Amino acid sequence: MKQLASAGLDGAVMVWNFNPKLRAFRYAGHKAEVNAVAFSPTGDLLASGSKDKTVRLWVPSLKGECSVIKAHTSAVRDVDFSADGQLLLTASDDKSIKLWEIPSQRFWHSMSGHINWVKTARFSNDGRLIGSGSDDKTVKIWDVEKNMCVHTYTDHCEVVNAVRFHPDGTCIASASDDQTIKLWDMRTNKLIQHYPAHTDGITDISFHPSGSFLASTSRDSSIKIWDLRRGHLFYTLHGHEGATNAVNFSPAGDFFATGAADQQVMVWKTNFDVDENNEPEDHAPARRSTKKSTKPQRTKLSASDVSRPALQEARITNEATIIREQPVPAPVEPVEPDFQVEEDYDSMPIPDSSGAGSLEDLPEKLASTLDHIIGQLDIITRTVSLMEERIRTNEDELAGMKQVQQKILDHLDL
């Protein structure tokens, strides 16, 4: 990890260098609080969006050169680069999402459809889709090329504060003031996982690059790590003294950063794969240690009220200052996520039936219906297979617990 960027209520953008020979860079220019920052994929640009209705593009160096985009007619809430670095999206309280060409910084097009402030927006990994969340309580999926909304999810009952695409591109997650995290399969548009996650509004979420874990922050001041493979809470972390506003994993997944209203940004070491044979305890605290992990330490960055984080090999938002490390104990042996499917059913070949001919020989409506049925059957088959795998895993765990219990009883007999 090379750099971490943060910003906050003081209107400044900070870039923290993990090279001890380089000091932090502080960039001033925005005339109001900064709501979001994002590095370009190559790390040579840093975008910041502010309540002053502008977006600034900074060169993250000592000089800190920047250009200004007068982006919206109201506060800019979120910014994100496409995976190829050619497009920048901005989301705003003016209810729109706008796309800008990089490096020309020319306006490309605008997406309108939300009926209230757009709090969050993100590109999919392939850049073909955009996910957005709004104060109108909806999550929308947009087709970038067609410049249109292709689906709207209406399951939340409060403001949506964060949306993120799963690393494999098949699912999207959202977090809301209704204290829940929801995951949908975008191929079937079905809700596949639902977590009553926190005791107050959830402010941000971030997928681990493996796709097996999800981190969340909340106004209840906690940070939680969710095991998506088994569908339950993995760890609850405490360290901040105020509402936690932002979280982001580094691209390698070995660190994640959090920002909070206590004016600090913390960098945590994950250690998810330190000891695959050790079974984690439910709701294990951040300070719990394992045989192979060191005692947890935090990396602190003092800041003004932090909103959304940005690491160069990850993402954060707000001003900050000190640094240490916070390892999280190692989890269990990895298993495929419940919702991860190796192939998209839409792209799978349809088996031929002897003497039946191809689908092209059938009436169009019938062919379409058969195609849909085959796709649904495939999904059901895969779901059953995943359930069987989970049952086997649970049975192995139960057997292990029984062995441990027997050893304890044998020891007591002695």
Side-chain angles (χ1 to χ4, degrees), residues 314-336:
R315 234 175 273 231
I316 287 195
T317 310
N318 243 83
E319 231 202 284
T321 318
I322 319 174
I323 273 194
R324 285 176 287 169
E325 252 177 44
Q326 180 85 19
V328 175
V332 294
E333 184 177 355
V335 186
E336 289 298 314

Side-chain angles (χ1 to χ4, degrees), residues 354-374:
S354 57
S358 66
L359 288 180
E360 286 77 7
D361 298 329
L362 299 173
E364 186 177 348
K365 275 192 174 182
L366 180 57
S368 176
T369 301
L370 289 174
D371 185 36
H372 177 73
I373 292 172
I374 291 170

Side-chain angles (χ1 to χ4, degrees), residues 33-338:
E33 65 190 66
V34 180
N35 295 317
V37 290
F39 279 106
S40 64
T42 57
D44 57 353
L45 282 178
L46 174 67
S48 59
S50 169
K51 194 175 179 179
D52 66 10
K53 310 174 188 178
T54 69
V55 171
R56 288 180 179 258
L57 295 175
W58 310 85
V59 177
S61 63
L62 179 62
K63 193 173 181 181
E65 299 172 335
C66 85
S67 55
V68 182
I69 300 175
K70 295 180 180 179
H72 291 270
T73 59
S74 193
V76 179
R77 292 289 179 177
D78 210 354
V79 293
D80 191 35
F81 285 93
S82 60
D84 61 7
Q86 297 302 302
L87 292 175
L88 173 73
L89 73 74
T90 58
S92 170
D93 284 356
D94 64 13
K95 308 175 188 176
S96 72
I97 302 163
K98 292 185 179 181
L99 296 179
W100 309 82
E101 294 178 344
I102 302 295
S104 67
Q105 299 176 26
R106 293 179 179 177
F107 172 73
W108 187 30
H109 61 234
S110 179
M111 298 174 173
S112 298
H114 284 293
I115 59 175
N116 209 329
W117 298 351
V118 184
K119 282 287 189 69
T120 178
R122 282 292 187 275
F123 279 107
S124 61
N125 290 345
D126 58 11
R128 295 187 303 107
L129 301 173
I130 290 173
S132 63
S134 166
D135 274 21
D136 64 12
K137 309 175 187 177
T138 67
V139 173
K140 289 183 180 290
I141 308 297
W142 307 81
D143 187 302
V144 174
E145 286 298 326
K146 295 178 181 178
N147 189 25
M148 62 180 291
C149 177
V150 294
H151 195 78
T152 301
Y153 301 104
T154 58
D155 298 70
H156 284 294
C157 57
E158 292 292 343
V159 171
V160 178
N161 295 314
V163 295
R164 300 291 183 268
F165 286 95
H166 188 270
D168 72 4
T170 62
C171 302
I172 189 168
S174 63
S176 168
D177 274 358
D178 64 13
Q179 306 174 17
T180 69
I181 298 170
K182 299 180 187 293
L183 284 83
W184 291 275
D185 188 320
M186 294 188 296
R187 297 161 299 183
T188 61
N189 293 320
K190 300 294 185 182
L191 181 67
I192 55 174
Q193 288 192 357
H194 166 87
Y195 299 97
H198 289 267
T199 58
D200 205 337
I202 302 170
T203 52
D204 201 11
I205 52 176
S206 179
F207 279 106
H208 187 266
S210 68
S212 297
F213 301 95
L214 180 78
S216 62
T217 55
S218 167
R219 286 191 285 273
D220 65 12
S221 80
S222 69
I223 304 149
K224 294 190 177 184
I225 309 296
W226 302 89
D227 186 339
L228 303 180
R229 305 163 302 179
R230 301 189 177 185
H232 61 60
L233 178 64
F234 196 54
Y235 293 113
T236 297
L237 310 178
H238 298 283
H240 290 288
E241 296 180 358
T244 51
N245 297 326
V247 61
N248 212 336
F249 281 99
S250 64
D254 49 349
F255 294 93
F256 66 94
T258 56
D262 60 4
Q263 303 184 9
Q264 293 188 354
V265 174
M266 293 184 180
V267 179
W268 309 71
K269 187 172 177 62
T270 58
N271 282 352
F272 284 162
D273 300 318
V274 168
D275 188 354
E276 294 181 353
N277 295 320
N278 283 346
E279 190 71 26
E281 298 175 6
D282 287 344
H283 310 282
R287 299 180 187 275
R288 171 180 171 272
S289 62
T290 60
K291 293 180 181 178
K292 295 187 180 181
S293 65
T294 59
K295 184 179 179 180
Q297 308 171 27
R298 284 184 210 99
T299 298
K300 289 185 181 178
L301 304 173
S302 296
S304 62
D305 188 11
V306 181
S307 39
R308 203 151 273 172
L311 298 148
Q312 181 179 341
E313 302 198 51
R315 234 175 273 231
I316 287 195
T317 310
N318 243 83
E319 231 202 284
T321 318
I322 319 174
I323 273 194
R324 285 176 287 169
E325 252 177 44
Q326 180 85 19
V328 175
V332 294
E333 184 177 355
V335 186
E336 289 298 314
D338 291 346

